[in-house]
Amino acid sequence: MRLSLRLIYEQLAEQYPALSLTGSSSPGLTEVQIFSAGSIPPRNDVLYVVLDDAAPPRIFSETPGISCITRGPGHLNFPEQAIVVPCQYCMTDLFNDVVSLFRQFQSWETSVLDAIARERPLTDILNLSHMVTRDTVYLADTTLKLIAHTSPTLMDDISANWNYQIKYGYMPMNIVRKLIDTGELAYMNKTRESFTYPTETFNLPYTCKNIFHGCQLLAHLFIVGVYSPPTRTHLEIAEALGRMLSIYLEKNPGNVTLFGTFHEGFLRDILNRRLCNRDLIQNQLSYFDWKIDDTFALLLIDCAEDSQYKKQLIINHLSQNPNLDCSVFEAEHYLAAIYHAPDTTDIRRDLYSFADKFQIRGALSKSFHDLTNLHIYFEQAKKTLTIGQKLSPDNHIFINDDYGIYSIISRIVEGHSIFELCHEGVLRLYETDQENGTDYINTLFQYLSNDRNLLRTSKSLFIHRNTLSYRLDKISAVVDLEYDNPENRHYILMSLYILRYCILNRNNP
């Protein structure tokens, strides 16, 4: 590992506070040598230590880019870059300490590369940083989701944000909003060299190194200044570690989320009821300018067989519509889109227009008023999507209002058989269909669904009106249709719905 003269100076100054530094633009130094006549011509990547009190050789001033450790300035031959040592310090001791310093950093670099080659866990790789710094080192993906960190760390005792990240795995949304508003996130995402930033968002300063693969940002590496403000040492550790970790992340892309969003972990935790604290949720909803008791609706899109590229196109379409306030995240094999203050008419218009274009199938829940109930409407939308695809296989979008009765039935039939629930005449009619290959169950369903209107029913069945009348006579022989008794009529229709649901979901009622 190459070390700068400033890093070496910072490390030595902890033990030798009276040292001074002139110039700091030296190239990376790979080793240290005691200067002797045999060192001529000197190399730019070597740090020379002049042991005696004589003036530096003239070649030091004549050769640009040479770095050395020497006694006080004032000589004509004094080099451009030097650590100046006052008389009270022993030059031999300093030389030995610099040798140890090079060994320390080179040993760390070798250990990291060996751990990467052995594909050790990221936590183990980051923990090797204790060889060169006491400060906390952690890795986050582009959504600021925590991937790994060094341990133990004092951060647990001094940072509420850190504790939130440890518990939930991602940055609090109100902190993300502040990073955006202050411009800190934009700077963080575009800078290739390691940097420190005068943060207005965090309670501790940090050094950051962005890890790229070509032009694609893979992850952020942070060194948090727990013990000291950011130094040149932090910058060079971050630069070296980021360069080595890029190899690891390219070989193990599953560690990072390349197409994720800042809010996906937060919304997924609400969905999974991992995050239930209403005050904590409300505090983070400021990122969206939402309130926990606002009106919402949930769209689920089945993406089990879709590429990541297609998913990203769908996410872009949904989240960038200026007429709809929508946030999208992945859950199970679905894309889940939460609409805020939904206008059902606008949503339907948008969904129908892009469903055919993207060849997607999705279901929209009913509106609800408490975001902590997201899991209820997630299951509702899943049920609607499953039933809708079976009842209307040619459709792409299924609205809960159109299939809501089946959500009710799914709860009714749970733990019960149809023999307990259904009208006896309906069960006899189903048996008749099974024995004779007739379709009287569907005929009766259409007849009652169309309010016993013969013309509408015959059109829905694509049969002649006389054929319908013939079938109804046959049905009446099996089912006692008390048309003047609305309770009985509705019970028969509900039984038909239950039977239809069971046939669709079990193939055998």
Side-chain angles (χ1 to χ4, degrees):
M1 177 178 172
R2 292 176 175 266
L3 307 180
S4 72
L5 189 63
R6 177 168 287 278
L7 180 150
I8 295 169
Y9 165 74
E10 286 179 356
Q11 295 292 311
L12 292 175
E14 294 181 11
Q15 186 174 353
Y16 305 98
L19 295 178
S20 59
L21 177 68
T22 63
S24 58
S25 59
S26 63
L29 302 168
T30 60
E31 60 179 301
V32 58
Q33 294 181 7
I34 295 174
F35 179 79
S36 65
S39 301
I40 299 174
R43 290 160 40 196
N44 286 358
D45 63 341
V46 174
L47 175 61
Y48 295 98
V49 178
V50 181
L51 288 182
D52 55 32
D53 294 336
R58 187 172 64 182
I59 195 168
F60 275 18
S61 60
E62 294 177 346
T63 307
I66 301 300
S67 303
C68 74
I69 298 178
T70 185
R71 292 297 184 187
H75 307 291
L76 293 175
N77 301 332
F78 201 78
E80 293 180 4
Q81 290 97 220
I83 295 174
V84 182
V85 183
C87 294
Q88 68 261 37
Y89 298 140
C90 173
M91 296 294 288
T92 302
D93 290 343
L94 266 94
F95 171 76
N96 291 331
D97 287 339
V98 175
V99 170
S100 297
L101 187 63
F102 272 100
R103 287 176 180 169
Q104 176 187 358
F105 277 88
Q106 288 165 356
S107 176
W108 168 67
E109 182 181 48
T110 300
S111 298
V112 171
L113 291 173
D114 180 67
I116 290 173
R118 294 174 181 269
E119 297 189 349
R120 301 292 299 165
L122 271 171
T123 299
D124 292 353
I125 295 172
L126 293 186
N127 276 336
L128 293 170
S129 302
H130 290 314
M131 298 171 66
V132 290
T133 180
R134 298 181 297 166
D135 286 311
T136 298
V137 180
Y138 78 93
L139 191 69
D141 72 8
T142 55
T143 69
L144 299 181
K145 181 181 73 175
L146 186 64
I147 301 173
H149 65 90
T150 53
S151 60
T153 171
L154 288 179
M155 295 284 285
D156 296 343
D157 300 324
I158 60 179
S159 174
N161 290 338
W162 174 262
N163 287 318
Y164 185 94
Q165 284 183 278
I166 294 298
K167 182 175 182 179
Y168 295 106
Y170 51 87
M171 192 76 72
M173 298 310 304
N174 53 318
I175 298 299
V176 174
R177 167 57 65 187
K178 194 168 183 181
L179 286 170
I180 294 171
D181 292 344
T182 60
E184 196 167 342
L185 184 63
Y187 186 84
M188 187 185 298
N189 284 336
K190 71 182 179 181
T191 307
R192 284 186 170 266
E193 300 296 323
S194 57
F195 65 92
T196 59
Y197 195 89
T199 180
E200 300 177 25
T201 306
F202 303 114
N203 59 336
L204 291 170
Y206 64 87
T207 300
C208 178
K209 168 62 180 176
N210 292 326
I211 303 174
F212 285 87
H213 175 54
C215 295
Q216 187 174 48
L217 179 62
L218 298 180
H220 306 285
L221 176 71
F222 296 95
I223 302 177
V224 184
V226 178
Y227 292 93
S228 66
T231 62
R232 182 68 196 180
T233 301
H234 290 121
L235 288 169
E236 294 188 33
I237 292 172
E239 191 69 36
L241 185 54
R243 185 174 61 251
M244 292 185 284
L245 285 176
S246 66
I247 303 170
Y248 185 95
L249 295 178
E250 288 168 23
K251 292 172 61 179
N252 301 276
N255 287 284
V256 295
T257 305
L258 296 180
F259 294 94
T261 55
F262 295 113
H263 58 259
E264 64 179 10
F266 168 63
L267 295 177
R268 196 179 295 120
D269 279 350
I270 296 176
L271 171 63
N272 297 330
R273 287 178 284 178
R274 187 165 177 256
L275 179 57
C276 301
N277 185 301
R278 294 179 66 86
D279 292 336
L280 196 55
I281 293 172
Q282 181 57 65
N283 187 34
Q284 296 195 68
L285 285 177
S286 62
Y287 172 83
F288 308 94
D289 294 325
W290 295 355
K291 293 183 178 179
I292 197 169
D293 292 322
D294 286 348
T295 304
F296 304 95
L298 179 68
L299 170 70
L300 280 192
I301 298 174
D302 189 350
C303 293
E305 299 180 0
D306 291 338
S307 67
Q308 193 65 55
Y309 176 73
K310 182 177 179 180
K311 290 179 187 177
Q312 192 62 44
L313 289 177
I314 296 170
I315 290 172
N316 291 344
H317 175 89
L318 292 171
S319 58
Q320 295 175 8
N321 187 325
N323 299 317
L324 298 169
D325 186 3
C326 178
S327 291
V328 189
F329 63 102
E330 287 193 62
E332 298 177 7
H333 60 271
Y334 303 98
L335 282 180
I338 300 177
Y339 289 98
H340 175 249
D343 184 311
T344 305
T345 302
D346 287 344
I347 293 175
R348 284 185 182 231
R349 186 185 303 115
D350 179 66
L351 292 181
Y352 291 142
S353 67
F354 94 93
D356 291 336
K357 176 181 177 182
F358 287 102
Q359 288 298 297
I360 62 168
R361 291 185 182 275
L364 184 68
S365 77
K366 64 182 296 184
S367 297
F368 57 99
H369 299 281
D370 188 338
L371 198 58
T372 61
N373 290 328
L374 184 61
H375 62 284
I376 297 173
Y377 297 93
F378 182 83
E379 293 301 321
Q380 180 187 93
K382 283 172 63 175
K383 184 75 71 176
T384 299
L385 182 57
T386 300
I387 295 171
Q389 290 182 98
K390 291 178 178 179
L391 289 176
S392 311
D394 294 333
N395 292 351
H396 288 92
I397 297 296
F398 309 98
I399 310 298
N400 178 74
D401 289 352
D402 300 332
Y403 300 91
I405 190 169
Y406 292 103
S407 295
I408 297 173
I409 290 172
S410 68
R411 295 180 178 274
I412 294 174
V413 301
E414 187 175 348
H416 299 279
S417 72
I418 62 167
F419 301 103
E420 297 176 60
L421 300 173
C422 291
H423 189 283
E424 289 184 6
V426 170
L427 294 175
R428 289 196 301 270
L429 191 63
Y430 177 75
E431 291 175 357
T432 299
D433 278 351
Q434 294 296 100
E435 293 172 359
N436 302 317
T438 51
D439 193 23
Y440 291 155
I441 284 288
N442 187 45
T443 300
L444 180 58
F445 178 80
Q446 294 297 334
Y447 179 60
L448 295 179
S449 297
N450 283 286
D451 298 322
R452 295 179 292 159
N453 184 293
L454 293 176
L455 181 60
R456 290 206 308 268
T457 304
S458 60
K459 285 183 177 180
S460 67
L461 291 169
F462 302 101
I463 60 176
H464 193 275
R465 182 171 175 174
N466 292 339
T467 303
L468 174 61
S469 297
Y470 171 79
R471 289 187 184 180
L472 291 175
D473 289 340
K474 291 290 185 179
I475 290 169
S476 296
V478 179
V479 183
D480 183 15
L481 297 176
E482 299 180 28
Y483 292 129
D484 294 331
N485 184 337
E487 286 80 9
N488 186 63
R489 190 168 66 248
H490 291 150
Y491 178 31
I492 291 172
L493 181 58
M494 178 59 73
S495 298
L496 291 167
Y497 271 111
I498 292 173
L499 187 63
R500 197 177 191 207
Y501 173 85
C502 292
I503 292 172
L504 286 172
N505 285 276
R506 304 173 193 171
N507 295 322
N508 186 356

